[in-house]
Amino acid sequence: MLTGLHHNKATPLSRRSWLAATAGLVMGLAAFTSAKAAEDTIKVGVLHSLSGTMAISETTLKDTILFLIDEQNKKGGVLGKKLEAVVVDPASNWPLFAEKARELITKDKVSVVFGCWTSVSRKSVLPVFKELNSILFYPVQYEGEESERNVFYTGAAPNQQAIPAVDYLMKDEKVKRWVLAGTDYVYPRTTNKILEAYLKSKGVAQEDIMINYTPFGHSDWQTIVADIKKFGSAGKKTAVVSTINGDANVPFYKELGNQGIKATDIPVVAFSVGEEELAGIDTKPLLGHLAAWNYFQSIKTPENEKFIKAWQAYTKNPKRVTNDPMEAHVIGFDMWVKAVEKAKSVDADKVIEALPGTKAPNLTGGISEMLPNHHITKPVFIGEIKADGQFDVVWKTPGLVAGDAWSKELPGSKDLIGDWVTLKCGNYNTVTKKCGGQGS
């Protein structure tokens, strides 16, 4: 009895112990609930610049992934789990892309990342994705010369944009002189190296090719546009092939208008200007200038009209535009979901193995397929700028074009192929029958 009485006797110390134990139990339950909630979601990384020179192009891609996640969650998520976006801002700072990618994979434990725009940002994150064996979906046209196991390229390779655009200008516009104008980094420089070799193979003389590079965010275009105007006054039909990226496009196009350069005189075909970039400028002086993409908002198909309607409802903005890299994310996201469901897992190795051969409808009609080189099949369109900032399609390929990882125009690349299914190699040499041991 004495023992029992002693046991039941309340003291201030035992009350404190009881309160502490209760608090600990509550905190433990909260931590368990939080951990369980985390286990019940599949995290998706979003690695796009929301500030700096590339924000004009990349912010809408962040919104696109959030929209696609929202739509997928309405269908019940993936593998019975809801998707959860983890958004970071690498701020148009190329080394910061690598830091943020590492953070997404190691700290936030994302299963996949959708991100990057410039090739320099993609090159910055490549070692991180390879080291940590994670997956990147890259949605923007680029220079090729790469096929990495951990990257899936849903934007255009040069043979799906740059080469068809030059062919169109040569055949349909009878262009004889060429200005290759780009931002000073890897994508424009490599693309222009490919285009210069291609033009020369078609009989274009060196003196009929002018090449110019400017820094990111370049704003003073007066002298350069004057040089373009002078170069185009030699009596031969001249065109500008533009790989200018980001917000530098706004003053460039304004200066074209200021100096009275019309599309009928010197047409400009752009590879990085779409509906989003044109939404910020007066397009009247730019009527008839061109862009080469694999998608335009103005293309009328049931799939595209349904997507535009849903996108504008999601953003609560009936004037919100769509563009090509957005569609690349739509296709890539669809393929990732299908590959995860096929693999019944978000494990990187299993999803990487499941992705080649995966098909997804594109928004302009037709079905895109992920190829063994981790590029996809895409149609190619040339569009003329209209006064409302949209494009009138003036040319398209008869069907879908398979993306080439390696350009046949460059001596060091013409014998290379990427094949991660049979050969397990991103740069297999078809002559020596050897793998280069890497993907780029």
Side-chain angles (χ1 to χ4, degrees):
M1 288 294 293
L2 286 171
T3 308
L5 283 169
H6 180 73
H7 179 75
N8 290 319
K9 188 178 178 182
T11 66
L13 182 63
S14 65
R15 270 194 215 99
R16 281 198 298 273
S17 300
W18 181 81
L19 287 169
T22 306
L25 179 63
V26 170
M27 287 175 71
L29 283 169
F32 174 77
T33 306
S34 174
K36 185 150 180 21
E39 284 172 14
D40 286 343
T41 64
I42 295 171
K43 291 187 176 180
V44 176
V46 185
L47 185 68
H48 282 302
S49 295
L50 311 179
S51 56
T53 188
M54 291 309 302
I56 185 175
S57 297
E58 291 194 68
T59 300
T60 201
L61 295 186
K62 176 266 294 181
D63 293 339
T64 302
I65 294 298
L66 296 184
F67 164 63
L68 294 172
I69 286 173
D70 186 63
E71 292 284 293
Q72 189 63 34
N73 282 340
K74 286 176 186 171
K75 300 174 191 171
V78 180
L79 300 181
K81 296 182 179 183
K82 289 295 174 83
L83 300 178
E84 179 188 345
V86 183
V87 178
V88 293
D89 177 16
S92 307
N93 177 331
W94 319 133
L96 191 58
F97 267 85
E99 192 179 313
K100 291 292 184 183
R102 186 173 292 277
E103 187 181 297
L104 284 171
I105 299 163
T106 59
K107 179 177 159 232
D108 298 306
K109 309 293 184 188
V110 300
S111 298
V112 63
V113 175
F114 292 84
C116 298
W117 180 293
T118 65
S119 283
V120 67
S121 66
R122 189 191 71 260
K123 293 285 188 187
S124 172
V125 304
L126 273 182
V128 177
F129 281 88
K130 288 163 81 170
E131 176 200 338
L132 301 174
N133 193 32
S134 191
I135 299 169
L136 172 68
F137 276 84
Y138 177 65
V140 185
Q141 86 291 344
Y142 85 120
E143 71 284 356
E145 308 308 294
E146 186 179 295
S147 175
E148 294 284 353
R149 179 178 176 272
N150 297 89
V151 183
F152 292 86
Y153 309 80
T154 54
N159 74 305
Q160 295 172 308
Q161 186 189 39
I163 298 294
V166 165
D167 280 342
Y168 167 79
L169 289 171
M170 208 176 271
K171 292 169 187 171
D172 290 52
E173 300 286 338
K174 311 300 181 197
V175 170
K176 304 289 184 189
R177 295 201 105 194
W178 303 83
V179 179
L180 308 182
T183 302
D184 194 3
Y185 74 106
V186 61
Y187 161 61
R189 284 191 172 272
T190 307
T191 299
N192 287 341
K193 192 187 292 183
I194 292 165
L195 289 179
E196 186 179 11
Y198 185 70
L199 289 169
K200 286 178 178 176
S201 76
K202 297 291 183 181
V204 177
Q206 182 66 60
E207 60 267 24
D208 287 328
I209 303 171
M210 169 183 166
I211 302 174
N212 178 266
Y213 296 103
T214 45
F216 278 100
H218 189 70
S219 58
D220 183 8
W221 289 94
Q222 199 170 345
T223 304
I224 295 164
V225 170
D227 288 344
I228 291 170
K229 196 173 183 179
K230 185 180 176 185
F231 185 77
S233 66
K236 292 180 181 177
K237 180 71 174 181
T238 303
V240 177
V241 178
S242 171
T243 46
I244 298 163
N245 261 263
D247 56 8
N249 276 295
V250 176
F252 171 64
Y253 277 94
K254 280 185 178 171
E255 190 56 38
L256 288 175
N258 291 344
Q259 297 199 27
I261 296 180
K262 296 186 176 126
T264 47
D265 305 322
I266 303 176
V268 177
V269 61
F271 300 158
S272 296
V273 173
E275 294 85 347
E276 186 72 14
E277 290 77 14
L278 291 177
I281 61 176
D282 175 16
T283 57
K284 290 183 185 64
L286 308 179
L287 294 182
H289 284 300
L290 306 163
W293 289 106
N294 310 104
Y295 165 92
F296 287 113
Q297 180 177 333
S298 57
I299 295 172
K300 299 207 178 301
T301 63
E303 297 89 350
N304 196 26
E305 288 175 9
K306 181 183 175 185
F307 175 75
I308 293 165
K309 188 176 177 183
W311 166 247
Q312 291 174 342
Y314 172 79
T315 58
K316 298 181 173 61
N317 182 354
K319 294 184 178 176
R320 189 74 183 264
V321 297
T322 60
N323 65 20
D324 179 286
M326 283 177 65
E327 192 219 21
H329 263 342
V330 171
I331 294 167
F333 186 85
D334 189 351
M335 288 179 169
W336 175 75
V337 168
K338 285 173 177 169
V340 168
E341 288 173 341
K342 181 183 175 185
K344 297 182 174 55
S345 170
V346 292
D347 175 77
D349 290 330
K350 291 176 182 175
V351 175
I352 288 169
E353 191 177 328
L355 272 161
T358 303
K359 295 180 180 179
N362 61 52
L363 298 178
T364 59
I367 305 292
S368 288
E369 181 179 353
M370 182 61 69
L371 302 170
N373 63 7
H374 288 189
H375 293 63
I376 67 172
T377 56
K378 298 168 79 78
V380 187
F381 303 95
I382 310 283
E384 274 187 10
I385 298 172
K386 301 196 296 181
D388 62 358
Q390 291 293 319
F391 291 86
D392 181 28
V393 175
V394 295
W395 181 88
K396 65 177 181 178
T397 50
L400 277 63
V401 178
D404 283 339
W406 301 95
S407 290
K408 294 173 175 55
E409 289 72 32
L410 298 180
S413 303
K414 64 184 177 65
D415 298 323
L416 301 181
I417 59 167
D419 181 350
W420 291 104
V421 176
T422 306
L423 300 171
K424 309 291 184 189
C425 176
N427 54 4
Y428 182 82
N429 191 308
T430 56
V431 175
T432 64
K433 309 293 184 190
K434 289 181 181 175
C435 179
Q438 54 186 1
S440 55

